[in-house]
Structure formats: structure tokens, C-alpha cells
Amino acid sequence: MTERKPPGVSFETWVEKQIREAMDRGEFDNLPGAGKPIPNLHDADELWWVKGKLRREGVSGEAMLPTGLRLRKEVEELPRTVGRLRAEQAVRDLVADLNRRIRDWLLVPLGPQVSLVPVDPDEVVEQWRASRG
């Protein structure tokens, strides 16, 4: 559109009209946080809002990791994870599920290259038994 708005004619977009009408109805009055500074506005961390959203939604940052890194982290945390289990079959089932997901990822390794191999279930069970004393 190359034409200019004629002088003296009010020009209002649909969005601006919706905002103005909501303001006239008082829908923006007494909102929570009104008159307070925006939190973390001058924070050096550019992802402060993402971290805040994850925290409010109860989602860990690990959920956002690429699959290979997430699986590697699971392997690293495996001794603590199986340490909470009470039965050997539960340990074996957990390792079997982890190994299935590792093999699936190895078939189509999307994301960063990560050194990752399936876990030896017998070794994990042996460590689990030893930790139970």
C-alpha cells in the first residue's frame, strides 16, 4: 500500500482497536505485577525466561537435551537410579528399556555425536547387589 493516511482521519488497526476497547472496559486495571519492574529485565542470562518457564511448569532442563546427551546422562546416573529399586527384575527391566532407547538412537543418531553403547545388564545387577550390602 503506497497511499498515505489522509490528514485528520483516524487510522486504527484491528489489534489497536481491541486493545483500546479492552482498556475502556477496564480489563487491564489492577493486573498482578502492575507498577512493578519486569523481573530479570537486566539479567545477563539471555535464557532467564526459558529457565523460569521450565521451573514453573515443573520440567527439568534435561528434557530439552538432544537424545544422545540425554541418554548419556541416564547412563551416568544409572547407579543412583537403580539404587532406589527394590527388585532385581526392576533393575533388569530399567536397563532393558534404556538399552532399547540407546539402540534406537544408534540407528539414527540425531544431534551431536556422542560416544554411547548399550549397558551390560549383568554388570549393572552385580553393582546393584553390591550396593545393597
Side-chain angles (χ1 to χ4, degrees), residues 1 4 6-7 12 28 30 32 35 42-43 47 67-68 72 81 83-84 91 94 97-98 100 108-109 111 128 131 133:
M1 175 176 223
R4 297 181 137 235
E12 183 177 54
F28 294 115
N30 303 317
H42 301 292
D43 197 335
L47 296 177
T67 304
R72 185 173 181 170
T81 304
R84 294 188 292 263
V91 173
L94 186 126
D97 177 63
L98 176 59
R100 179 193 52 77
V108 184
W128 172 79
S131 71

mmCIF file of all heavy atoms in Angstrom, residues 1 4 6-7 12 28 30 32 35 42-43 47 67-68 72 81 83-84 91 94 97-98 100 108-109 111 128 131 133:
data_model
loop_
_atom_site.group_PDB
_atom_site.id
_atom_site.type_symbol
_atom_site.label_atom_id
_atom_site.label_comp_id
_atom_site.label_asym_id
_atom_site.label_seq_id
_atom_site.Cartn_x
_atom_site.Cartn_y
_atom_site.Cartn_z
ATOM 1 N N MET A 1 0.854 -1.169 0.000
ATOM 2 C CA MET A 1 0.000 0.000 0.000
ATOM 3 C C MET A 1 0.898 1.230 0.000
ATOM 4 O O MET A 1 1.711 1.399 0.896
ATOM 5 C CB MET A 1 -0.901 -0.053 1.232
ATOM 6 C CG MET A 1 -1.752 1.142 1.417
ATOM 7 S SD MET A 1 -2.825 0.874 2.837
ATOM 8 C CE MET A 1 -4.325 1.490 2.183
ATOM 9 N N ARG A 4 -0.981 7.297 1.538
ATOM 10 C CA ARG A 4 -0.828 7.782 2.906
ATOM 11 C C ARG A 4 -2.203 7.996 3.523
ATOM 12 O O ARG A 4 -3.182 8.213 2.816
ATOM 13 C CB ARG A 4 -0.053 9.102 2.926
ATOM 14 C CG ARG A 4 1.343 8.933 2.410
ATOM 15 C CD ARG A 4 2.101 10.245 2.467
ATOM 16 N NE ARG A 4 3.423 9.941 2.968
ATOM 17 C CZ ARG A 4 3.982 10.504 4.014
ATOM 18 N NH1 ARG A 4 3.363 11.449 4.666
ATOM 19 N NH2 ARG A 4 5.164 10.151 4.414
ATOM 20 N N PRO A 6 -5.039 9.974 4.956
ATOM 21 C CA PRO A 6 -5.431 11.382 4.777
ATOM 22 C C PRO A 6 -5.345 12.134 6.099
ATOM 23 O O PRO A 6 -5.614 11.578 7.152
ATOM 24 C CB PRO A 6 -6.875 11.310 4.291
ATOM 25 C CG PRO A 6 -7.085 9.897 3.859
ATOM 26 C CD PRO A 6 -6.106 9.064 4.613
ATOM 27 N N PRO A 7 -4.966 13.386 6.048
ATOM 28 C CA PRO A 7 -4.871 14.174 7.285
ATOM 29 C C PRO A 7 -6.226 14.256 7.988
ATOM 30 O O PRO A 7 -7.260 14.365 7.356
ATOM 31 C CB PRO A 7 -4.428 15.560 6.812
ATOM 32 C CG PRO A 7 -4.086 15.430 5.373
ATOM 33 C CD PRO A 7 -4.636 14.145 4.868
ATOM 34 N N GLU A 12 -6.716 3.153 12.758
ATOM 35 C CA GLU A 12 -6.541 2.250 13.881
ATOM 36 C C GLU A 12 -6.612 0.819 13.354
ATOM 37 O O GLU A 12 -7.556 0.457 12.670
ATOM 38 C CB GLU A 12 -7.659 2.511 14.894
ATOM 39 C CG GLU A 12 -7.580 1.696 16.135
ATOM 40 C CD GLU A 12 -8.693 2.077 17.118
ATOM 41 O OE1 GLU A 12 -9.870 2.064 16.724
ATOM 42 O OE2 GLU A 12 -8.354 2.382 18.258
ATOM 43 N N PHE A 28 -7.526 -4.063 31.837
ATOM 44 C CA PHE A 28 -6.105 -4.003 32.181
ATOM 45 C C PHE A 28 -5.880 -3.373 33.555
ATOM 46 O O PHE A 28 -4.741 -3.226 33.992
ATOM 47 C CB PHE A 28 -5.321 -3.213 31.123
ATOM 48 C CG PHE A 28 -5.294 -3.898 29.782
ATOM 49 C CD1 PHE A 28 -5.900 -3.328 28.680
ATOM 50 C CD2 PHE A 28 -4.651 -5.122 29.621
ATOM 51 C CE1 PHE A 28 -5.867 -3.947 27.438
ATOM 52 C CE2 PHE A 28 -4.615 -5.746 28.389
ATOM 53 C CZ PHE A 28 -5.230 -5.160 27.297
ATOM 54 N N ASN A 30 -5.650 -3.106 37.546
ATOM 55 C CA ASN A 30 -5.321 -3.950 38.698
ATOM 56 C C ASN A 30 -4.792 -5.338 38.335
ATOM 57 O O ASN A 30 -5.102 -6.326 39.003
ATOM 58 C CB ASN A 30 -6.542 -4.090 39.620
ATOM 59 C CG ASN A 30 -7.047 -2.738 40.086
ATOM 60 O OD1 ASN A 30 -6.261 -1.874 40.442
ATOM 61 N ND2 ASN A 30 -8.350 -2.550 40.044
ATOM 62 N N PRO A 32 -2.000 -8.322 38.198
ATOM 63 C CA PRO A 32 -0.890 -8.667 39.095
ATOM 64 C C PRO A 32 0.427 -8.133 38.527
ATOM 65 O O PRO A 32 0.688 -8.243 37.341
ATOM 66 C CB PRO A 32 -0.881 -10.195 39.104
ATOM 67 C CG PRO A 32 -2.159 -10.627 38.492
ATOM 68 C CD PRO A 32 -2.693 -9.484 37.693
ATOM 69 N N GLY A 35 2.790 -1.903 37.864
ATOM 70 C CA GLY A 35 3.623 -0.903 38.505
ATOM 71 C C GLY A 35 4.933 -1.432 39.038
ATOM 72 O O GLY A 35 5.731 -0.682 39.582
ATOM 73 N N HIS A 42 17.256 -6.958 33.398
ATOM 74 C CA HIS A 42 18.653 -6.622 33.131
ATOM 75 C C HIS A 42 19.583 -7.801 33.423
ATOM 76 O O HIS A 42 20.783 -7.609 33.566
ATOM 77 C CB HIS A 42 19.056 -5.389 33.948
ATOM 78 C CG HIS A 42 18.216 -4.196 33.623
ATOM 79 N ND1 HIS A 42 18.279 -3.565 32.399
ATOM 80 C CD2 HIS A 42 17.269 -3.553 34.327
ATOM 81 C CE1 HIS A 42 17.417 -2.562 32.384
ATOM 82 N NE2 HIS A 42 16.783 -2.532 33.542
ATOM 83 N N ASP A 43 19.025 -8.993 33.505
ATOM 84 C CA ASP A 43 19.819 -10.203 33.772
ATOM 85 C C ASP A 43 20.719 -10.488 32.575
ATOM 86 O O ASP A 43 20.300 -10.378 31.429
ATOM 87 C CB ASP A 43 18.881 -11.382 34.015
ATOM 88 C CG ASP A 43 19.557 -12.550 34.682
ATOM 89 O OD1 ASP A 43 20.783 -12.681 34.542
ATOM 90 O OD2 ASP A 43 18.856 -13.330 35.337
ATOM 91 N N LEU A 47 18.573 -16.534 28.588
ATOM 92 C CA LEU A 47 17.537 -17.565 28.654
ATOM 93 C C LEU A 47 16.823 -17.589 29.997
ATOM 94 O O LEU A 47 16.213 -18.589 30.361
ATOM 95 C CB LEU A 47 18.154 -18.930 28.348
ATOM 96 C CG LEU A 47 18.727 -19.082 26.943
ATOM 97 C CD1 LEU A 47 19.380 -20.442 26.775
ATOM 98 C CD2 LEU A 47 17.659 -18.884 25.893
ATOM 99 N N THR A 67 18.678 -36.134 22.243
ATOM 100 C CA THR A 67 18.501 -37.503 22.707
ATOM 101 C C THR A 67 19.805 -38.168 23.125
ATOM 102 O O THR A 67 19.874 -38.794 24.179
ATOM 103 C CB THR A 67 17.801 -38.346 21.619
ATOM 104 O OG1 THR A 67 16.571 -37.713 21.285
ATOM 105 C CG2 THR A 67 17.529 -39.755 22.099
ATOM 106 N N GLY A 68 20.850 -38.033 22.329
ATOM 107 C CA GLY A 68 22.118 -38.679 22.652
ATOM 108 C C GLY A 68 22.679 -38.214 23.985
ATOM 109 O O GLY A 68 23.147 -39.026 24.799
ATOM 110 N N ARG A 72 23.070 -40.396 27.440
ATOM 111 C CA ARG A 72 24.376 -40.492 28.101
ATOM 112 C C ARG A 72 24.249 -40.098 29.571
ATOM 113 O O ARG A 72 24.839 -40.720 30.449
ATOM 114 C CB ARG A 72 25.379 -39.600 27.393
ATOM 115 C CG ARG A 72 26.771 -39.736 27.946
ATOM 116 C CD ARG A 72 27.734 -38.982 27.105
ATOM 117 N NE ARG A 72 29.078 -39.121 27.604
ATOM 118 C CZ ARG A 72 30.144 -38.721 26.970
ATOM 119 N NH1 ARG A 72 30.031 -38.165 25.782
ATOM 120 N NH2 ARG A 72 31.322 -38.865 27.500
ATOM 121 N N THR A 81 20.040 -44.380 39.992
ATOM 122 C CA THR A 81 18.662 -44.718 39.620
ATOM 123 C C THR A 81 18.307 -46.123 40.071
ATOM 124 O O THR A 81 17.259 -46.332 40.690
ATOM 125 C CB THR A 81 18.469 -44.586 38.095
ATOM 126 O OG1 THR A 81 18.848 -43.269 37.697
ATOM 127 C CG2 THR A 81 17.036 -44.839 37.700
ATOM 128 N N GLY A 83 19.762 -47.811 42.330
ATOM 129 C CA GLY A 83 19.910 -47.910 43.782
ATOM 130 C C GLY A 83 18.599 -47.720 44.519
ATOM 131 O O GLY A 83 18.438 -48.187 45.652
ATOM 132 N N ARG A 84 17.637 -47.064 43.889
ATOM 133 C CA ARG A 84 16.325 -46.840 44.504
ATOM 134 C C ARG A 84 15.366 -47.999 44.263
ATOM 135 O O ARG A 84 14.280 -48.025 44.840
ATOM 136 C CB ARG A 84 15.724 -45.545 43.962
ATOM 137 C CG ARG A 84 16.500 -44.299 44.359
ATOM 138 C CD ARG A 84 15.769 -43.032 43.970
ATOM 139 N NE ARG A 84 15.698 -42.847 42.525
ATOM 140 C CZ ARG A 84 16.532 -42.087 41.831
ATOM 141 N NH1 ARG A 84 17.501 -41.441 42.444
ATOM 142 N NH2 ARG A 84 16.392 -41.955 40.532
ATOM 143 N N VAL A 91 15.433 -53.751 38.074
ATOM 144 C CA VAL A 91 16.721 -53.255 37.571
ATOM 145 C C VAL A 91 16.907 -53.722 36.129
ATOM 146 O O VAL A 91 17.265 -52.938 35.250
ATOM 147 C CB VAL A 91 17.891 -53.732 38.460
ATOM 148 C CG1 VAL A 91 19.231 -53.353 37.840
ATOM 149 C CG2 VAL A 91 17.765 -53.166 39.862
ATOM 150 N N LEU A 94 14.594 -51.859 33.753
ATOM 151 C CA LEU A 94 15.044 -50.494 33.516
ATOM 152 C C LEU A 94 16.217 -50.479 32.541
ATOM 153 O O LEU A 94 16.253 -49.674 31.602
ATOM 154 C CB LEU A 94 15.442 -49.830 34.839
ATOM 155 C CG LEU A 94 15.784 -48.365 34.706
ATOM 156 C CD1 LEU A 94 14.951 -47.538 35.673
ATOM 157 C CD2 LEU A 94 17.257 -48.135 34.971
ATOM 158 N N ASP A 97 15.029 -51.251 28.996
ATOM 159 C CA ASP A 97 14.395 -50.085 28.369
ATOM 160 C C ASP A 97 15.443 -49.071 27.925
ATOM 161 O O ASP A 97 15.366 -48.538 26.815
ATOM 162 C CB ASP A 97 13.413 -49.439 29.344
ATOM 163 C CG ASP A 97 12.787 -48.198 28.753
ATOM 164 O OD1 ASP A 97 12.080 -48.311 27.723
ATOM 165 O OD2 ASP A 97 13.017 -47.096 29.300
ATOM 166 N N LEU A 98 16.419 -48.807 28.780
ATOM 167 C CA LEU A 98 17.491 -47.875 28.430
ATOM 168 C C LEU A 98 18.260 -48.377 27.208
ATOM 169 O O LEU A 98 18.519 -47.617 26.274
ATOM 170 C CB LEU A 98 18.436 -47.682 29.620
ATOM 171 C CG LEU A 98 19.660 -46.798 29.383
ATOM 172 C CD1 LEU A 98 19.252 -45.397 28.952
ATOM 173 C CD2 LEU A 98 20.527 -46.758 30.640
ATOM 174 N N ARG A 100 17.223 -50.372 24.860
ATOM 175 C CA ARG A 100 16.359 -50.272 23.673
ATOM 176 C C ARG A 100 16.413 -48.863 23.112
ATOM 177 O O ARG A 100 16.576 -48.659 21.904
ATOM 178 C CB ARG A 100 14.922 -50.652 24.021
ATOM 179 C CG ARG A 100 13.965 -50.535 22.829
ATOM 180 C CD ARG A 100 12.502 -50.597 23.242
ATOM 181 N NE ARG A 100 12.136 -49.661 24.287
ATOM 182 C CZ ARG A 100 11.932 -48.352 24.095
ATOM 183 N NH1 ARG A 100 12.070 -47.811 22.907
ATOM 184 N NH2 ARG A 100 11.594 -47.566 25.111
ATOM 185 N N VAL A 108 19.670 -44.144 14.194
ATOM 186 C CA VAL A 108 19.519 -42.825 13.574
ATOM 187 C C VAL A 108 19.998 -41.793 14.589
ATOM 188 O O VAL A 108 19.202 -41.177 15.293
ATOM 189 C CB VAL A 108 18.050 -42.553 13.183
ATOM 190 C CG1 VAL A 108 17.933 -41.228 12.445
ATOM 191 C CG2 VAL A 108 17.478 -43.680 12.368
ATOM 192 N N PRO A 109 21.326 -41.586 14.685
ATOM 193 C CA PRO A 109 21.864 -40.689 15.714
ATOM 194 C C PRO A 109 21.705 -39.217 15.349
ATOM 195 O O PRO A 109 22.568 -38.610 14.730
ATOM 196 C CB PRO A 109 23.337 -41.094 15.793
ATOM 197 C CG PRO A 109 23.645 -41.632 14.438
ATOM 198 C CD PRO A 109 22.380 -42.238 13.921
ATOM 199 N N GLY A 111 21.452 -35.221 16.238
ATOM 200 C CA GLY A 111 22.069 -34.332 17.209
ATOM 201 C C GLY A 111 23.575 -34.525 17.259
ATOM 202 O O GLY A 111 24.174 -35.125 16.364
ATOM 203 N N TRP A 128 24.377 -53.341 41.574
ATOM 204 C CA TRP A 128 23.177 -53.096 42.384
ATOM 205 C C TRP A 128 23.195 -54.001 43.615
ATOM 206 O O TRP A 128 22.925 -53.535 44.725
ATOM 207 C CB TRP A 128 21.931 -53.328 41.525
ATOM 208 C CG TRP A 128 20.645 -53.283 42.279
ATOM 209 C CD1 TRP A 128 19.982 -52.156 42.689
ATOM 210 C CD2 TRP A 128 19.863 -54.395 42.720
ATOM 211 N NE1 TRP A 128 18.829 -52.517 43.340
ATOM 212 C CE2 TRP A 128 18.734 -53.867 43.379
ATOM 213 C CE3 TRP A 128 20.011 -55.776 42.603
ATOM 214 C CZ2 TRP A 128 17.751 -54.686 43.931
ATOM 215 C CZ3 TRP A 128 19.043 -56.591 43.151
ATOM 216 C CH2 TRP A 128 17.932 -56.048 43.803
ATOM 217 N N SER A 131 25.781 -52.810 46.121
ATOM 218 C CA SER A 131 25.400 -51.571 46.820
ATOM 219 C C SER A 131 24.368 -51.833 47.903
ATOM 220 O O SER A 131 24.207 -51.036 48.819
ATOM 221 C CB SER A 131 24.865 -50.531 45.830
ATOM 222 O OG SER A 131 23.596 -50.919 45.345
ATOM 223 N N GLY A 133 24.513 -54.373 49.897
ATOM 224 C CA GLY A 133 25.280 -54.909 51.024
ATOM 225 C C GLY A 133 24.709 -56.118 51.584
ATOM 226 O O GLY A 133 24.561 -56.643 52.538
#
